[in-house]
Amino acid sequence: MVKLIASLLLLAVVAQAYGDFKSKQESKSFARELHIERERQKLEKQEKEKQNSNPNHGEGQDQGCKGSLAVPEITKDWVDIKDACIKGMRHQIQEEINASYQYLAMGAYFSRDTVNRPGFAEHFFKAAKEEREHGSKLVEYLSMRGQLTEGVSDLINVPTVAKQEWTDGASALSDALDLEIKVTRSIRKLIQTCEGKPYNHYHLVDYLTGVYLEEQLHGQRELAGKLTTLKKMMDTNGELGEFLFDKTL
């Protein structure tokens, strides 16, 4: 019995000692964290006082981030695309964006559950992406020729889509062909403007002729062929013909 009591007393003493030790450790840890926090606040206060005493502190860095550093003076003789040709390029960019939005409207229409022509929808969404890429490439070309240093905010206006529903796939393809014809004529007009005197921008004209006009002509022929095939199938099989044609797109 005496041994039991002695053991219990010993355990109580050990527990008390451990508790005191743990409490001291926690107190030291808390004191250390408090010291670190006070040092951090002290450094922040010193930094603010330093900035207040020097109003130009960090001005160079801020200007660098904002792009407001003075532009060095270099010759502008290499920027030789001007006047009506630039205006025509900006107009063509807008035409490409307008076509892209119209194709998006077509794709959205044929994606409706009440219409459900996935082939047509995919075809028009793909066409919308191509027109948007055409506009982007023209923007890149202008930048390459030293343009777009001003008047960028009004470079592209969000167009209003005039038509959002179609009676059938044939009417949509017919509108798409008319849209491509309009874009092609716009490109030809731009080429005539930029190749005539006093401009003679041969590189741009070659770019428009070899890349854009080539693709436009092939696209028109492809749409004309699709429209002819679809009308033949609809004349023979009606709506079933359109359904089957949609599977081929």
Side-chain angles (χ1 to χ4, degrees), residues 23-39:
S23 177
K24 290 180 180 179
Q25 291 296 110
E26 291 178 349
S27 297
K28 290 181 179 180
S29 177
F30 176 76
R32 184 166 53 253
E33 292 177 358
L34 182 61
H35 175 72
I36 293 174
E37 178 63 20
R38 287 176 177 173
E39 290 295 323

Side-chain angles (χ1 to χ4, degrees), residues 213-225:
L213 199 56
E214 177 80 9
E215 187 171 336
Q216 285 297 127
L217 296 177
H218 281 287
Q220 288 178 179
R221 170 59 182 84
E222 182 181 358
L223 276 173

Side-chain angles (χ1 to χ4, degrees), residues 36-94:
I36 293 174
E37 178 63 20
R38 287 176 177 173
E39 290 295 323
R40 185 185 65 80
Q41 292 178 357
K42 183 179 179 181
L43 290 174
E44 288 182 353
K45 184 178 180 181
Q46 292 176 352
E47 182 65 22
K48 288 181 180 179
E49 291 176 352
K50 183 178 179 182
Q51 292 179 0
N52 292 334
S53 63
N54 183 12
N56 295 325
H57 177 74
E59 183 176 351
Q61 293 88 333
D62 292 342
Q63 289 182 347
C65 293
K66 296 178 181 178
S68 58
L69 291 175
V71 179
E73 294 184 3
I74 62 173
T75 179
K76 292 296 183 181
D77 292 343
W78 68 279
V79 183
D80 58 353
I81 177 173
K82 302 176 182 178
D83 305 322
C85 191
I86 295 178
K87 185 178 180 181
M89 283 283 285
R90 295 172 73 96
H91 174 75
Q92 187 60 39
I93 291 171
Q94 187 65 55

Side-chain angles (χ1 to χ4, degrees), residues 181-199:
I181 293 172
K182 179 183 177 182
V183 173
T184 301
R185 288 174 178 173
S186 179
I187 294 175
R188 283 176 171 166
K189 184 177 180 180
L190 176 60
I191 291 173
Q192 291 173 357
T193 299
C194 294
E195 73 177 350
K197 294 181 179 180
Y199 308 110

Side-chain angles (χ1 to χ4, degrees), residues 105-117:
M106 291 179 173
Y109 172 77
F110 286 99
S111 294
R112 296 180 184 180
D113 63 296
T114 54
V115 180
N116 197 32
R117 290 288 185 266

Side-chain angles (χ1 to χ4, degrees), residues 89-97 138-139 142 156:
M89 283 283 285
R90 295 172 73 96
H91 174 75
Q92 187 60 39
I93 291 171
Q94 187 65 55
E95 287 293 314
E96 301 290 348
I97 298 303
L138 291 178
V139 170
L142 282 179
I156 297 175

